[in-house]
Amino acid sequence: MSQPSITTTSTHSGELPIGADGKPLKPCCACPETKKVRDRCIFDKGEENCKEYIDNHLKCMRDLGFKI
């Protein structure tokens, strides 16, 4: 009996991008550089003052193929 194929719709292709370790990259672990800067800004200044950092992180995620 074969296992059913599992797909994800979290990316445009339906497949997660592959990380440096060869494993599928999860959204929570993607773009750590932009995520860290975004989170620090939100923590220090509030979300309303961090649009540039939020947009940079979203662009990074989209460039990897995530639909966000």
Side-chain angles (χ1 to χ4, degrees), residues 3-66:
Q3 295 273 345
S5 174
I6 298 174
T7 59
T8 177
T9 58
S10 63
T11 63
H12 293 288
S13 67
E15 297 178 13
L16 293 174
I18 303 301
D21 61 0
K23 296 179 182 178
L25 187 61
K26 297 177 184 176
C28 63
C29 303
C31 301
E33 301 84 13
T34 58
K35 183 178 180 180
K36 182 178 180 179
V37 173
R38 177 205 65 183
D39 290 350
R40 175 50 55 190
C41 183
I42 292 170
F43 181 77
D44 291 342
K45 300 178 183 180
E47 185 175 344
E48 64 279 359
N49 297 307
C50 299
K51 183 173 179 356
E52 176 184 355
Y53 300 113
I54 294 168
D55 290 344
N56 288 342
H57 184 62
L58 291 174
K59 181 184 180 320
C60 181
M61 297 287 288
R62 289 183 185 118
D63 288 348
L64 287 175
F66 290 102

